[in-house]
């Protein structure tokens, strides 16, 4: 976090920690989370880097209000308001939507969890297309020891590591229809797994995207596309928790 603070020294950075979790938020950089550390001090997000073509609005966790990459929501300056054990961020977007995102640290089932609640509101007087696209960019750690897993409807977990055993520098894979994670998927590295739970009914499909060149693994959620009436809202809730690999 100290290195990131030096690189982002001219930006507003808000730390949030408790119950063994530590995150760093940058409201002015699209409300993004630029750091996520577990109780062991391991960094899980791929932070913004000075060499990124879009620095400092790069890396970390960001969200879009449309289905396309870099739809409104990723770079705007967000207002911040303290929340119970967390922080609420919000911004008015050019497409007439207001985005609100709350980060909160809680204890659930005996473990520390990061709760992320996202909400889009149509502030216009006409119908407005909306979708919540969640775009976290993770640090892969050691590629040969890193994998993901996802829960099937029968509650069994399937493992996946497409970057192993080939010379590809990058790749992507859609997880949708019968292959879409059933409310949870996980990034596994360093003997731990970051399990990301989400509202099953709120998610349309998922995208796994990875790049050895960028040292990044993206695990994206695409919410359902909606046509919002004036004043209508669209939400998506997540719960992230760290679990030791047994």
């Amino acid at each position: 976090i100290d290195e990131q603070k030096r690189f982002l020294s001219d930006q507003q950075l808000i730390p949030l920690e408790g119950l063994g979790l530590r995150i760093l938020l940058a409201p002015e950089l699209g409300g993004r989370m630029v750091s996520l550390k577990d109780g062991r001090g391991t960094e899980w997000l791929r932070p913004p880097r000075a060499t990124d073509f879009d620095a400092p609005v790069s890396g970390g966790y960001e969200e879009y209000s449309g289905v396309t990459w870099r739809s409104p929501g990723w770079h705007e300056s967000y207002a911040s308001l303290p929340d119970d054990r967390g922080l609420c961020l919000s911004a008015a977007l050019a497409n007439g939507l207001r985005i609100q995102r709350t980060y909160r640290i809680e204890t659930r089932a005996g473990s520390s969890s990061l709760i992320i609640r996202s909400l889009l509101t149509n502030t216009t007087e006409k119908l407005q297309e909306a979708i919540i696209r969640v775009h976290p960019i993770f640090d892969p750690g050691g590629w040969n020891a890193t994998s993901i897993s996802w829960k099937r409807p029968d509650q069994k977990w399937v493992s996946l590591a497409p970057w192993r055993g080939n010379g590809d520098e990058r790749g992507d894979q859609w997880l949708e229809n019968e292959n879409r994670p059933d409310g949870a998927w996980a990034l596994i590295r360093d003997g731990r797994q970051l399990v990301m739970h989400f509202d099953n009914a709120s998610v349309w499909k998922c995208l796994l995207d990875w790049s050895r060149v960028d040292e990044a693994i993206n695990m994206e959620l695409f919410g359902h596309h909606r046509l919002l009436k004036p004043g209508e809202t669209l939400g998506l809730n997540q719960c992230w928790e760290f679990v030791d690999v047994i």
Side-chain angles (χ1 to χ4, degrees):
I1 289 181
D2 290 339
E3 181 179 346
Q4 292 164 34
K5 284 183 177 179
R6 288 193 294 271
F7 169 52
L8 302 172
S9 59
D10 59 340
Q11 302 294 333
Q12 179 191 21
L13 299 175
I14 302 177
L16 181 63
E17 58 184 288
L19 307 172
L21 297 181
R22 289 183 292 167
I23 69 175
L24 190 64
L25 303 171
E28 297 172 348
L29 301 179
R32 73 187 55 239
M33 176 168 46
V34 297
S35 176
L36 167 64
K37 290 191 175 183
D38 62 17
R40 300 177 181 177
T42 301
E43 176 62 70
W44 286 75
L45 286 175
R46 191 273 202 192
R49 296 173 180 167
T51 55
D52 293 338
F53 77 94
D54 48 359
V57 193
S58 60
Y61 175 102
E62 61 188 13
E63 290 183 0
Y64 313 140
S65 61
V67 70
T68 58
W69 184 70
R70 290 290 167 86
S71 298
W74 68 278
H75 75 284
E76 293 81 356
S77 179
Y78 283 57
S80 60
L81 182 67
D83 181 76
D84 183 29
R85 296 189 307 279
L87 192 71
C88 180
L89 305 177
S90 64
L93 306 181
N95 55 12
L97 298 174
R98 171 166 289 277
I99 188 169
Q100 179 177 307
R101 187 159 62 253
T102 301
Y103 299 94
R104 182 180 297 172
I105 295 176
E106 298 181 357
T107 299
R108 294 194 173 188
S111 63
S112 302
S113 301
L114 173 62
I115 309 300
I116 306 174
R117 293 190 171 97
S118 305
L119 190 71
L120 289 176
T121 303
N122 181 6
T123 64
T124 73
E125 296 300 319
K126 60 182 180 180
L127 294 174
Q128 178 64 47
E129 293 185 352
I131 186 174
I132 297 176
R133 179 176 173 180
V134 174
H135 188 268
I137 306 170
F138 294 106
D139 183 336
W143 286 101
N144 291 332
T146 297
S147 63
I148 74 160
S149 63
W150 52 275
K151 188 173 69 172
R152 303 190 313 192
D154 61 5
Q155 304 304 300
K156 293 182 180 179
W157 287 75
V158 178
S159 295
L160 187 66
W163 42 81
R164 294 185 195 170
N166 61 55
D168 293 343
E169 292 295 325
R170 62 181 72 241
D172 59 72
Q173 182 170 344
W174 287 100
L175 299 175
E176 54 186 327
N177 301 321
E178 68 276 6
N179 290 322
R180 193 204 65 175
D182 190 52
W185 59 344
L187 175 63
I188 305 170
R189 45 166 284 210
D190 303 317
R192 304 202 82 189
Q193 56 181 338
L194 171 58
V195 183
M196 292 163 279
H197 304 272
F198 54 85
D199 289 340
N200 208 21
S202 300
V203 173
W204 168 31
K205 58 184 178 180
C206 303
L207 174 63
L208 172 65
D209 180 43
W210 57 274
S211 170
R212 289 181 179 271
V213 176
D214 298 327
E215 285 292 312
I217 294 176
N218 304 339
M219 298 175 68
E220 299 189 54
L221 301 179
F222 286 71
H224 291 288
H225 179 272
R226 289 276 304 279
L227 195 60
L228 297 182
K229 299 177 182 178
E232 194 174 11
T233 62
L234 177 65
L236 197 158
N237 297 328
Q238 302 175 74
C239 174
W240 293 12
E241 63 178 346
F242 290 103
V243 179
D244 291 330
V245 176
I246 301 176

